[in-house]
Amino acid sequence: MEKFIKNILVTGGAGFIGSHTLITLLENGYRLIILDSLVNSSETVIKRVLNLSNLHDKKRESMAIFIKGDVRDQKLLINIFETYTNSLQSIVAVVHFAGLKSVFESTKFPLQYWDSNVSGTINLLKIMERFNCLNFVFSSSATIYGTNNKNLLIKENDVINPINPYGQTKDVIERILNNLISEKNKKWSIAILRYFNPTGAHKSGLIGENSKGFPNNLMPIINKVAFREIKELEIFGNDWNTPDGTGVRDYIHVMDLAEGHLLALEYILDKNNKSNFIKLNLGTGTGTSVLELVDTFSRVNDVEIPYKFSARRDGDVSYSVADISQAKSKINWNPKRNLKEMCRDSWNSYKKQKDYKFRKLH
Ligand code: NAD
Ligand code: UFG
């Protein structure tokens, strides 16, 4: 008799965090249906993920199926669920990365953010319910905590108060997911993962953080300075209430995040677990200032990062560091990779993506 196959639908799987998670899920035996509109990624990433996975050539094609499409496309989603639901297989869970993620862009184009993030998620949840697929892992963000100038570790039950449209879309989706859990007659199992500052890349350097358009985040900008595409890094403020005056964040290696997704998925799929609803911070619990990150990057990669101080950036906070005790105790997650590895892997991947010969060969 053929074995029942566990299909996982991964939306946004060609993106930064999604692509790294694909590797971990493939290595753990899941069959993946990857849906991505490629609005902020490219299909090359999927090919590279398949090459990196430890599957044999023939198996690869059947274990990861890529579909170019939008989560707002109801007909497409119905078609996907119909195709992969029969007596031998079903889509047992959805890991939902797809969405727009730039804080700055969300202030310029709020409707696009509400549509893609909130309407897209509602659409997806409706179709999941129709096909009785009630296991959901959601990419949320530390940005929902809003202003925190007390320099204390952030706990999951701290005040939620996002101050930009992007963060507000994540907050609203979390509220919707809360509503689903409160429904008496349905049996949803949901993991909300609130990422702090994802960075680093797969150690091969074949995939990494490759957003289209100019980046706003610190590590991608440091890479550009290191590559001499930008003359110097602008550090937004040296008068914050932190030891060296620059902003403190909780940088987390993307492969540790990927492992967090695997554990969260396995948690919600295991119906013996006490809870069917987990909300977890994913960070390291350690704060790093902008100056510390610049210094580590320079030393580890032996490259100079010129910088200058400028005014504080609107909407920034002094300190954003996770209390990760819930993720440790509930899903047994322990991030392993340190700041040096984040800086090394990030730079290695950036250089590889930039290498023209490499681009032609792959
Ligand atoms: P990313 O942009 O690299 O990946 C998102 C992927 O989703 C992209 O491949 C994009 O093409 C796709 N996509 C976007 N809208 C879509 C739609 N409507 N339908 C189908 N595909 C769509 O971003 P990422 O850094 O990998 O982030 C993944 C998720 O994690 C996002 O939801 C983001 O908001 C969240 N998040 C990211 C960070 C971060 O700093 N990277 C922090 C917290 C939360
Ligand atoms: N910074 C600079 N110069 C730059 C870019 C950033 O000094 O050119 C500083 C910022 O002021 C901040 C730190 O570097 O102190 C980190 O900034 P990022 O933009 O890399 O990250 P943020 O913490 O501001 O925000 C990021 C994502 C959000 C997400 C949040 C929490 O952009 O989408 O992490 O996960 F919600």
Side-chain angles (χ1 to χ4, degrees):
M1 212 175 84
E2 278 189 71
K3 217 178 120 195
F4 187 83
I5 302 168
K6 271 190 185 168
N7 289 320
I8 308 292
L9 174 61
V10 183
T11 74
F16 172 43
I17 306 167
S19 58
H20 290 79
T21 305
L22 295 180
I23 298 178
T24 303
L25 294 179
L26 281 172
E27 285 176 355
N28 282 274
Y30 290 97
R31 183 177 184 214
L32 309 178
I33 296 130
I34 305 148
L35 173 68
D36 199 302
S37 65
L38 304 182
V39 65
N40 198 31
S41 53
S42 84
E43 202 177 334
T44 321
V45 171
I46 303 292
K47 292 190 187 120
R48 291 185 184 170
V49 165
L50 291 184
N51 286 335
L52 287 171
S53 68
N54 53 7
L55 302 170
H56 301 301
D57 281 0
K58 274 197 183 153
K59 217 176 169 198
R60 272 183 207 155
E61 281 160 33
S62 64
M63 290 304 281
I65 296 130
F66 177 68
I67 298 160
K68 184 179 175 210
D70 201 294
V71 287
R72 289 164 294 182
D73 184 341
Q74 206 167 85
K75 276 194 186 144
L76 175 66
L77 282 182
I78 291 172
N79 188 273
I80 292 173
F81 274 91
E82 277 173 352
T83 308
Y84 297 101
T85 309
N86 55 46
S87 58
L88 283 175
Q89 58 175 347
S90 74
I91 296 178
V92 295
V94 176
V95 183
H96 182 40
F97 294 103
L100 302 176
K101 66 162 181 177
S102 158
V103 169
F104 176 66
E105 202 183 57
S106 77
T107 60
K108 278 172 67 192
F109 308 109
L111 284 177
Q112 284 183 23
Y113 273 69
W114 285 100
D115 191 38
S116 190
N117 294 4
V118 179
S119 306
T121 305
I122 292 175
N123 193 41
L124 177 62
L125 292 167
K126 275 161 67 180
I127 307 297
M128 287 176 68
E129 194 169 85
R130 182 159 153 183
F131 285 87
N132 204 30
C133 170
L134 302 176
N135 299 307
F136 192 65
V137 179
F138 175 62
S139 297
S140 190
S141 168
T143 197
I144 64 165
Y145 293 113
T147 321
N148 163 35
N149 281 321
K150 292 196 200 104
N151 294 8
L152 296 172
L153 295 184
I154 299 172
K155 292 183 195 299
E156 286 82 353
N157 58 4
D158 280 358
V159 174
I160 304 296
N161 181 26
I163 56 168
N164 54 66
Y166 165 67
Q168 287 159 1
T169 66
K170 293 288 181 190
D171 177 22
V172 164
I173 297 166
E174 286 206 11
R175 286 167 193 246
I176 295 169
L177 297 175
N178 266 295
N179 292 166
L180 294 184
I181 288 296
S182 324
E183 274 185 303
K184 297 263 179 319
N185 51 346
K186 305 258 171 41
K187 296 218 162 34
W188 282 92
S189 287
I190 296 175
I192 291 176
L193 305 180
R194 296 176 181 157
Y195 317 145
F196 277 66
N197 290 64
T199 189
H202 187 266
K203 61 180 180 318
S204 67
L206 289 171
I207 57 170
E209 193 168 3
N210 283 312
S211 286
K212 291 179 180 169
F214 198 82
N216 296 310
N217 296 125
L218 184 58
M219 188 70 97
I221 294 177
I222 290 180
N223 278 319
K224 282 190 174 292
V225 176
F227 208 77
R228 303 295 175 244
E229 290 166 274
I230 305 176
K231 208 172 102 218
E232 59 193 355
L233 169 72
E234 236 186 285
I235 297 183
F236 301 136
N238 59 350
D239 56 352
W240 294 99
N241 174 25
T242 59
D244 66 20
T246 65
V248 170
R249 295 292 182 274
D250 187 341
Y251 299 95
I252 173 77
H253 197 292
V254 66
M255 288 311 299
D256 279 322
L257 272 190
E259 283 154 23
H261 286 78
L262 171 71
L263 293 170
L265 176 69
E266 293 189 332
Y267 182 93
I268 59 165
L269 288 178
D270 181 354
K271 300 303 170 198
N272 293 320
N273 278 319
K274 278 195 209 111
S275 171
N276 60 340
F277 193 33
I278 45 172
K279 288 182 199 173
L280 304 174
N281 285 340
L282 296 186
T284 58
T286 302
T288 302
S289 74
V290 178
L291 282 175
E292 283 169 335
L293 184 65
V294 167
D295 180 56
T296 307
F297 188 100
S298 302
R299 280 189 290 109
V300 168
N301 297 316
D302 195 20
V303 54
E304 211 188 315
I305 305 295
Y307 61 81
K308 66 169 183 195
F309 293 113
S310 64
R312 290 181 178 190
R313 182 172 66 174
D314 271 357
D316 264 353
V317 293
S318 63
Y319 180 93
S320 171
V321 182
D323 178 323
I324 58 166
S325 50
Q326 291 287 319
K328 282 186 176 173
S329 65
K330 291 210 166 129
I331 61 169
N332 201 19
W333 181 68
N334 277 299
K336 297 187 274 289
R337 295 149 181 100
N338 61 27
L339 195 69
K340 285 183 184 168
E341 287 162 289
M342 297 181 215
C343 291
R344 184 199 62 203
D345 294 343
S346 189
W347 177 228
N348 176 39
S349 155
Y350 192 76
K351 279 188 299 183
K352 281 204 173 158
Q353 318 296 319
K354 281 283 166 185
D355 186 337
Y356 179 67
K357 278 189 203 144
F358 171 86
R359 274 173 182 268
K360 288 210 106 180
L361 283 170
H362 290 75

